[in-house]
Amino acid sequence: MAKETPSSSPTSMPSGLKAYAVPIFLFVLAMFFQLFLLPRSFPPSHYDVLGVKMYSSVDDVKDAYETIASKWDSDSGDSLPADFIKIQYAYELLTNLVWKRDYDLYGIDESVHIIEELEKQYAVEDFAKIKLPLLEVVSFEPEREGFMSISSQDFASKFQDSKPWLIQVYSSGSKSSAQFATAWRRIVALLDGVANHAMLELGDVQLVTYLAEKKPTGQVFFRKGLPSIFSFPPNCKTADCLIRFEGELSADAITDWFATTVLGLPRVFYHTKETLVPKFLSKVPPNKVKVILFSQTGERATPIVRQAAKDYWNFASLSHVLWREEDASFWWNALEVESAPAIVIMKDPGSKPVVYHGSGNRTWFLDILEQNKQLQLPQLRSTTSMELGCDARGYSRAGYDKATWYCAILVGRQSVELNKMRETMCRVQDALSKYDESDEASKDPSITPAASAHKTKRLSFAWLDGEAQNKYCFFYVQSETSYDTCGTRRAPIDVPRILIVRYHRNATETANVEQKSSKWPKTVWQSEADDVDPAAQLVVSYDGPAETPEIIKWLSKMVDDGDNRNLPFYRAKTPELVPESAEPMRSGVPKSVKATQKLLSIWNRIKDYLADPRMGPTLLLGALLSAGNVWWMRSRSSTPQPAQTNQPSPNQPDDNVEEKKKKERKREQRRKNAKEKEVPASITDNEPKDAVQILSSGSDSD
């Protein structure tokens, strides 16, 4: 009986299919790509419709069209309207030099939808009724519209500053580019002062090829057609870092994308009369001014507004409100806003809002923010102490030559009581600012010193958060009830306090201290003693009623005494103001949107590879190589191998055993040599080999 070969085994067929699964899959994928996907990606060109070679000249196109027209017999019934439409469309497209250039170099055919529309319209009608020409000739010249153009000659020279750029790629014969001119004009106006802008014509092949997208084959193309929008972020000067716009071609969408993705500006949200207080006013930090922008249109915040929101982030918070006529009475009673557009500035608690009606340019808007960025009673912070003149390491706001100056500080925890005292201190500032010293009739000696010091910037006003700046607060408020003002709230009691700090710089005393410190080396104790602020400080707390006239009189007396009396020069080390955490700025693209954009980018890349004609042959080559490798591996595994045994034959000496014996003899010899070597004596030996007992002369001997 014959032996059963492996090929005749009933399990050989499934095992073979399993082994060749990968080559079979690659082969099927290659055939599917070549027969189905590739033809869809490369439909017949307009040159094929006319029966001429690709990239034929205009004359060849005209000759081919005339040949077809001479053979065309409308009465024969053999011709179809669809064929005429395709031929006529191809002729009009390829005889226009601009359209032919765009089609040959970049594959742009923005009017191809006309073919399908006309085929449906004239499906049952005679093609003689088709209105010619099918395509409308457009001539778009941005220079006449006042737009800035860019070319390969001046590209490098234009990118000298660090400002971002927004560039539109267009074609002079593109109808969509001409229709986009109105939106582009609006975009240019919105980006004025924020970014540079320019337009690039497709005729500049060198620069367009450098900036455009490229398929895996290296062909230049525009994924979204024309016009194509892309941007160079700040300090970007090469095509490696440019960002392409892939959204809807509208002024609103492009400016929002540019402000968010390219510039990373924070958003300015809209609020209604119901949400303005809980979602905006109550969440703005107490050290920031509140700016409300009333809009009639409800359009997004412009890049100028968003740039201002970023630049003034440490001073002001911005919000939009859509103006509605039915809410007019509410806004008049609440903020005294008559109509939109309007800008409302809200500063200190209880202070009257500042309202600006009308719309202005960028300079007008920024001037308003600059004039109103500070609270009437600013907060004393690590970033404002020097500017306010409330720092013993600094100088007076009146100048470096002023030796004596003052700072009135309202100290307390965030509470209703503190807000009331802030209102009172704002009224004190207003009264001192309006005081007229030249009017002898109304001149009051009890007010003049404080008013004069305030007008000459020797007297500043500020308020301090006693909880956030607890060390600073306890340094000035040293009393049994200081916990009612400073530190964490321990009881439902909040007592704001008014302090006045007199700063004084003594040039002679400072020079003597510096001379001593430079002449003799400092010890540890001397270093600690001399580590004090350059200006001396005297602090007085107000204990009177919270009434404006009384506070003004007290301030005037303190200023008068500080200027005229010989007060002690006492310097100390003031605790550092703790840098308060700034409000986080939510800017840029959200993570969810970034993830979506990343997935879309990957999908677009996959589609580009699916349209690559090299994919089919590559997959087929991979299938052949994989099949060959499988066949080679299976043929090697099926070849019988000679039997091998580890047991030595009786007539053949065991080399391994002999080798082991040699190694064992060498180890034994090394051990013997080590024992024979002389070991040096040590104190731990019981009796060294060379030990000799020496007896003294007076000892007994046998």
Side-chain angles (χ1 to χ4, degrees):
M1 186 175 180
K3 272 190 176 182
E4 185 178 344
T5 61
S7 60
S8 62
S9 174
T11 60
S12 61
M13 182 63 70
S15 63
L17 291 176
K18 184 177 181 180
Y20 285 95
V22 174
I24 292 173
F25 173 75
L26 292 176
F27 178 78
V28 172
L29 194 61
M31 292 299 102
F32 177 76
F33 183 87
Q34 288 293 115
L35 299 177
F36 296 98
L37 294 181
L38 197 59
R40 293 184 180 182
S41 301
F42 292 90
S45 67
H46 297 303
Y47 290 97
D48 297 331
V49 173
L50 295 174
V52 295
K53 294 181 179 180
M54 198 70 176
Y55 311 122
S56 296
S57 64
V58 175
D59 294 335
D60 293 340
V61 170
K62 290 181 179 179
D63 293 341
Y65 178 77
E66 291 175 0
T67 302
I68 296 174
S70 62
K71 298 179 181 180
W72 200 278
D73 186 3
S74 60
D75 298 330
S76 63
D78 297 334
S79 58
L80 298 176
D83 297 334
F84 174 78
I85 292 171
K86 292 179 181 178
I87 294 172
Q88 182 65 27
Y89 181 91
Y91 170 73
E92 294 183 13
L93 177 72
L94 298 178
T95 53
N96 185 293
L97 295 179
V98 177
W99 294 343
K100 185 177 187 301
R101 177 203 66 188
D102 298 346
Y103 182 72
D104 291 347
L105 296 179
Y106 313 108
I108 295 175
D109 186 10
E110 63 182 17
S111 301
V112 70
H113 62 279
I114 294 179
I115 297 178
E116 185 178 353
E117 294 175 0
L118 292 176
E119 286 179 353
K120 292 180 180 179
Q121 181 179 355
Y122 296 98
V124 294
E125 297 184 21
D126 187 1
F127 63 84
K129 299 180 180 180
I130 299 176
K131 297 180 180 179
L132 299 178
L134 301 180
L135 303 178
E136 179 184 357
V137 178
V138 177
S139 180
F140 176 53
E141 298 181 7
E143 291 78 7
R144 293 185 178 181
E145 302 287 341
F147 299 136
M148 181 186 298
S149 298
I150 194 171
S151 64
S152 55
Q153 286 75 24
D154 58 1
F155 177 75
S157 61
K158 291 285 183 69
F159 284 74
Q160 296 298 328
D161 57 5
S162 60
K163 266 190 176 183
W165 278 83
L166 183 67
I167 297 179
Q168 176 196 163
V169 179
Y170 75 100
S171 173
S172 58
S174 171
K175 185 178 180 180
S176 58
S177 297
Q179 293 174 345
F180 187 69
T182 303
W184 184 253
R185 184 179 294 104
R186 173 63 176 163
I187 293 171
V188 169
L190 293 175
L191 295 180
D192 182 31
V194 178
N196 299 321
H197 54 84
M199 299 181 68
L200 174 62
E201 215 278 328
L202 286 181
D204 195 334
V205 180
Q206 180 182 357
L207 186 55
V208 171
T209 304
Y210 173 68
L211 298 176
E213 291 185 84
K214 296 176 181 62
K215 294 183 179 180
T217 57
Q219 181 185 356
V220 176
F221 77 112
F222 295 93
R223 193 181 303 278
K224 296 292 184 179
L226 293 181
S228 178
I229 308 294
F230 59 87
S231 171
F232 287 89
N235 299 313
C236 171
K237 301 181 186 301
T238 63
D240 298 331
C241 52
L242 64 82
I243 305 174
R244 303 185 190 279
F245 175 72
E246 299 182 355
E248 177 190 358
L249 286 175
S250 65
D252 177 72
I254 293 175
T255 52
D256 180 65
W257 163 80
F258 188 82
T260 304
T261 306
V262 180
L263 299 178
L265 301 179
R267 293 189 178 276
V268 179
F269 296 100
Y270 272 83
H271 294 284
T272 63
K273 65 179 183 180
E274 292 81 14
T275 63
L276 183 64
V277 173
K279 292 188 176 182
F280 176 67
L281 296 180
S282 62
K283 294 185 177 182
V284 176
N287 63 296
K288 298 176 70 174
V289 175
K290 308 170 187 66
V291 181
I292 305 174
L293 308 174
F294 284 84
S295 171
Q296 285 181 322
T297 60
E299 65 179 359
R300 297 179 195 263
T302 63
I304 294 175
V305 173
R306 296 176 65 175
Q307 184 68 53
K310 180 180 180 179
D311 295 340
Y312 288 89
W313 185 262
N314 294 327
F315 302 97
S317 293
L318 279 68
S319 173
H320 266 300
V321 170
L322 178 60
W323 176 265
R324 296 178 179 177
E325 291 298 331
E326 56 267 25
D327 299 333
S329 59
F330 173 83
W331 295 120
W332 169 254
N333 295 328
L335 302 173
E336 297 185 1
V337 178
E338 297 178 355
S339 61
I343 302 176
V344 178
I345 309 292
M346 300 180 67
K347 296 186 176 182
D348 302 81
S351 61
K352 185 178 180 180
V354 182
V355 183
Y356 298 87
H357 287 94
S359 60
N361 55 17
R362 173 176 176 270
T363 304
W364 175 78
F365 173 67
L366 295 180
D367 287 343
I368 290 177
L369 291 182
E370 184 64 26
Q371 295 171 8
N372 298 277
K373 69 177 183 179
Q374 295 286 2
L375 296 171
Q376 186 175 356
L377 184 66
Q379 184 181 7
L380 183 58
R381 299 161 60 94
S382 59
T383 56
T384 61
S385 60
M386 290 289 187
E387 181 182 356
L388 295 173
C390 298
D391 197 317
R393 293 176 292 274
Y395 294 87
S396 170
R397 291 191 304 149
Y400 293 165
D401 58 333
K402 301 298 180 182
T404 305
W405 70 97
Y406 306 87
C407 185
I409 307 175
L410 173 63
V411 185
R413 288 187 289 261
Q414 295 286 344
S415 60
V416 178
E417 292 78 8
L418 179 65
N419 290 339
K420 291 180 179 179
M421 285 302 299
R422 287 176 62 183
E423 296 179 29
T424 303
M425 294 301 289
C426 288
R427 290 193 292 269
V428 170
Q429 288 188 89
D430 288 337
L432 294 178
S433 300
K434 296 176 181 178
Y435 180 76
D436 188 5
E437 299 181 36
S438 60
D439 188 1
E440 296 293 337
S442 60
K443 192 172 183 179
D444 188 352
S446 63
I447 301 177
T448 301
S452 177
H454 181 56
K455 289 182 178 180
T456 56
K457 297 183 179 181
R458 289 197 309 120
L459 173 61
S460 302
F461 290 84
W463 71 275
L464 179 75
D465 189 340
E467 183 174 5
Q469 306 290 347
N470 53 7
K471 291 183 179 180
Y472 197 90
C473 182
F474 282 121
F475 178 78
Y476 286 119
V477 183
Q478 299 180 6
S479 64
E480 297 179 356
T481 59
S482 59
Y483 284 98
D484 297 341
T485 305
C486 307
T488 306
R489 184 178 287 104
R490 299 185 177 183
I493 301 175
D494 291 294
V495 182
R497 299 174 185 268
I498 302 175
L499 311 174
I500 185 170
V501 183
R502 173 187 180 267
Y503 300 98
H504 181 70
R505 280 180 175 265
N506 190 323
T508 304
E509 181 69 21
T510 304
N512 293 336
V513 172
E514 292 178 352
Q515 184 177 2
K516 290 180 181 179
S517 61
S518 60
K519 185 175 181 181
W520 302 101
K522 295 182 179 180
T523 63
V524 176
W525 296 274
Q526 287 175 335
S527 299
E528 293 181 356
D530 293 341
D531 188 16
V532 294
D533 298 328
Q537 301 179 74
L538 290 177
V539 184
V540 181
S541 176
Y542 176 70
D543 295 329
E547 297 179 1
T548 302
E550 297 298 326
I551 296 175
I552 293 176
K553 291 180 181 179
W554 174 76
L555 290 174
S556 294
K557 185 176 185 306
M558 295 298 102
V559 171
D560 185 61
D561 291 346
D563 289 344
N564 300 316
R565 294 179 57 184
N566 186 17
L567 300 176
F569 186 83
Y570 174 74
R571 299 192 305 167
K573 179 64 176 177
T574 309
E576 296 283 347
L577 285 166
V578 179
E580 299 181 19
S581 58
E583 183 185 9
M585 182 186 299
R586 296 182 178 90
S587 59
V589 183
K591 293 183 179 179
S592 58
V593 178
K594 285 184 177 179
T596 304
Q597 293 176 349
K598 186 65 176 178
L599 293 176
L600 181 61
S601 175
I602 295 174
W603 173 242
N604 288 335
R605 199 63 181 168
I606 293 174
K607 289 193 297 184
D608 293 342
Y609 278 106
L610 292 178
D612 189 348
R614 300 172 299 179
M615 286 297 297
T618 302
L619 292 173
L620 184 59
L621 179 61
L624 295 176
L625 292 176
S626 178
N629 182 61
V630 172
W631 175 83
W632 173 255
M633 297 299 294
R634 285 172 61 85
S635 63
R636 288 191 60 188
S637 61
S638 62
T639 303
Q641 300 291 336
Q644 297 180 359
T645 177
N646 294 329
Q647 296 295 333
S649 61
N651 300 328
Q652 185 178 3
D654 190 349
D655 295 337
N656 294 334
V657 174
E658 291 296 332
E659 188 70 22
K660 289 181 180 179
K661 290 181 178 180
K662 289 181 180 180
K663 292 182 179 179
E664 184 64 29
R665 285 196 295 269
K666 288 181 179 180
R667 284 197 295 267
E668 185 66 23
Q669 186 65 30
R670 284 197 296 268
R671 284 196 294 268
K672 289 180 179 181
N673 294 337
K675 290 180 179 180
E676 292 176 359
K677 287 183 178 180
E678 185 176 359
V679 181
S682 67
I683 61 175
T684 60
D685 293 338
N686 294 328
E687 185 176 349
K689 295 180 181 180
D690 57 350
V692 178
Q693 184 175 5
I694 301 175
L695 299 177
S696 60
S697 58
S699 61
D700 296 333
S701 59
D702 296 336

